[in-house]
């Protein structure tokens, strides 16, 4: 059995429920958090799945407060931080901390291509500023940049940087990173590419971050538990099952459309409505109906 670090387990990047008139649906946030926390699964609010860069900060803070209330000390509340204006990011982080965030997970500011030294300075300055722990959040599909592992290693020694959520679909990088931090109890690694969950756990990852966990959290908790106890066959079986489930709202769709599809499924599960934060929009009715039917056919 793997020795667990302070930050570990399944962390679901929650969808961000919004009402028809563009306000945070805090009741739905509480439903979503309760749906995963009962299995010991933690929420990540305002990540890519949560349309984080599209949610107004004041509405985002309401969601953080609702999540903290629903979590009720059962699980860790992670909150994503993005954007391109650093001073606005710092102000947003203050509001999220006041609302109850336990850990901030920050992506790189992505309008300009940054040098490795600029990446380092960004995270160092943010970590110095925050009064709660910081996790690096590497996601090339949206930032179009990859945080070099030598930069990660430098940052890992900052007393307020506790780990990295790495959503880059790059298994050699994953393996190299996990070797690098295998003996570091003070720095954790969360695999943000759900399709690589089993291989990540096999190589010593501390946690996994699957968006499909919005509606099948127990399946991912079972996958995680199989992985940390070394049951590779069971972890791989669940991996393949979750990959197939994940195709329902992703195949043939853009990233933004897949998030709208995820909300279609969440509505069928009684968790939230299908409204999106602009500039994203709801799916065409025929696409939404296809996703709804495919989800119902699962019988879960």
């Amino acid at each position: 059995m793997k020795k667990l670090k302070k930050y570990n387990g399944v962390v679901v990047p929650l969808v961000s429920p919004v009402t028809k008139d563009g306000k945070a649906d805090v009741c739905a946030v509480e439903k979503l958090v309760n749906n995963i926390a009962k299995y010991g699964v933690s929420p990540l609010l305002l990540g890519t799945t949560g349309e984080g860069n599209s949610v107004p900060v004041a509405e985002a803070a309401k969601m953080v407060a609702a999540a903290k209330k629903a979590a009720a000390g059962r699980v860790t509340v992670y909150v994503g931080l993005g954007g391109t204006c650093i001073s606005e990011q710092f102000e947003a982080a203050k509001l999220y901390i006041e609302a109850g965030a336990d850990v901030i997970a920050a992506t790189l500011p992505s309008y300009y291509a940054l040098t490795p030294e600029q990446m380092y300075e960004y995270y160092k300055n943010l970590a110095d500023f925050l009064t709660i722990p910081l996790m690096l959040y590497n996601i090339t599909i949206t930032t179009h940049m990859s945080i070099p592992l030598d930069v990660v290693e430098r940052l890992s020694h900052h007393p307020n940087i506790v780990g990295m959520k790495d959503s880059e679909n790059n298994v050699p990088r994953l393996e190299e990173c996990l070797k690098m931090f295998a003996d570091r109890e003070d720095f954790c690694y969360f695999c943000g590419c759900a399709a690589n969950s089993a291989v990540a756990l096999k190589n010593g990852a501390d946690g996994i971050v699957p968006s499909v966990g919005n509606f099948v959290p127990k399946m991912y908790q079972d996958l995680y538990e199989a992985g940390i106890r070394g049951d590779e066959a069971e972890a791989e079986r669940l991996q393949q099952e979750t990959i197939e489930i994940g195709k329902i709202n992703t195949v043939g769709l853009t990233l933004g459309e897949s998030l709208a599809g995820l909300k279609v499924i969440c509505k069928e599960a009684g968790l939230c409505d299908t409204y999106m934060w602009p500039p994203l929009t709801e799916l065409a009715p025929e696409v939404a109906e296809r996703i709804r039917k495919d989800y119902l056919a699962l019988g879960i």
Side-chain angles (χ1 to χ4, degrees):
M1 178 72 76
K2 173 181 169 62
K3 182 179 179 181
L4 300 182
K5 299 179 185 178
K6 180 177 180 179
Y7 298 102
N8 64 76
V10 183
V11 177
V12 168
L14 290 189
V15 296
S16 288
V18 56
T19 63
K20 188 175 183 179
D21 60 353
K23 302 297 182 183
D25 188 342
V26 294
C27 291
V29 171
E30 291 183 13
K31 284 183 183 179
L32 285 157
V33 173
N34 278 316
N35 184 56
I36 65 174
K38 64 187 177 185
Y39 300 112
V41 172
S42 294
L44 166 64
L45 284 81
L46 306 170
T48 302
T49 301
E51 304 167 78
N53 282 341
S54 302
V55 183
V57 172
E59 297 302 309
K62 293 176 186 177
M63 288 196 285
V64 175
K68 185 69 171 183
K69 176 184 174 184
R74 293 176 291 173
V75 291
T76 302
V77 176
Y78 298 83
V79 178
L81 185 68
T84 56
C85 177
I86 304 305
S87 62
E88 290 178 358
Q89 279 192 315
F90 280 31
E91 289 303 310
K94 284 173 61 178
L95 288 177
Y96 300 159
I97 292 168
E98 291 169 3
D102 295 314
V103 178
I104 294 291
T107 59
L108 288 169
S110 58
Y111 188 84
Y112 299 106
L114 302 180
T115 67
E117 192 60 30
Q118 288 168 336
M119 295 180 192
Y120 174 82
E121 288 296 326
Y122 165 71
Y123 280 118
K124 178 187 179 299
N125 291 338
L126 181 58
D128 288 343
F129 172 81
L130 294 177
T131 56
I132 62 173
L134 171 65
M135 288 189 70
L136 316 178
Y137 184 168
N138 186 56
I139 180 162
T140 54
I141 194 172
T142 57
T143 66
H144 309 291
M145 291 179 283
S146 176
I147 308 171
L149 291 187
D150 62 330
V151 173
V152 175
E153 200 282 331
R154 287 174 65 197
L155 289 165
S156 73
H157 298 286
H158 191 290
N160 202 34
I161 296 178
V162 297
M164 176 171 65
K165 172 187 180 288
D166 198 342
S167 298
E168 185 171 339
N169 187 6
N170 183 334
V171 173
R173 171 189 166 93
L174 178 155
E175 293 173 340
E176 183 180 352
C177 191
L178 286 169
K179 287 179 182 177
M180 184 182 298
F181 297 110
D183 299 322
R184 291 279 301 280
E185 293 186 9
D186 60 336
F187 193 84
C188 62
Y189 180 96
F190 281 73
C191 178
C193 181
N196 294 334
S197 295
V199 70
L201 293 167
K202 178 181 177 181
N203 282 276
D206 302 290
I208 55 177
V209 191
S211 62
V212 175
N214 275 275
F215 62 96
V216 287
K218 186 178 186 301
M219 188 174 292
Y220 277 103
Q221 181 64 20
D222 290 345
L223 191 164
Y224 169 74
E225 291 177 358
I228 61 171
R229 70 171 179 264
D231 188 344
E232 294 178 17
E234 177 65 1
E236 185 58 31
R237 183 188 71 79
L238 288 165
Q239 177 75 89
Q240 294 308 313
E241 189 173 349
T242 55
I243 286 173
E244 290 304 309
I245 292 172
K247 291 178 180 178
I248 292 174
N249 68 295
T250 58
V251 172
L253 300 178
T254 65
L255 175 58
E257 289 172 327
S258 75
L259 302 183
L262 184 54
K263 283 188 178 178
V264 169
I265 295 171
C266 286
K267 182 174 182 178
E268 285 300 315
L271 297 170
C272 72
D273 216 318
T274 58
Y275 303 117
M276 303 295 289
W277 296 92
L280 297 184
T281 58
E282 294 178 76
L283 293 173
E286 63 274 16
V287 179
E289 181 62 13
R290 189 271 299 166
I291 290 173
R292 189 185 73 84
K293 287 182 177 178
D294 287 351
Y295 166 68
L296 292 175
L298 292 174
I300 56 177

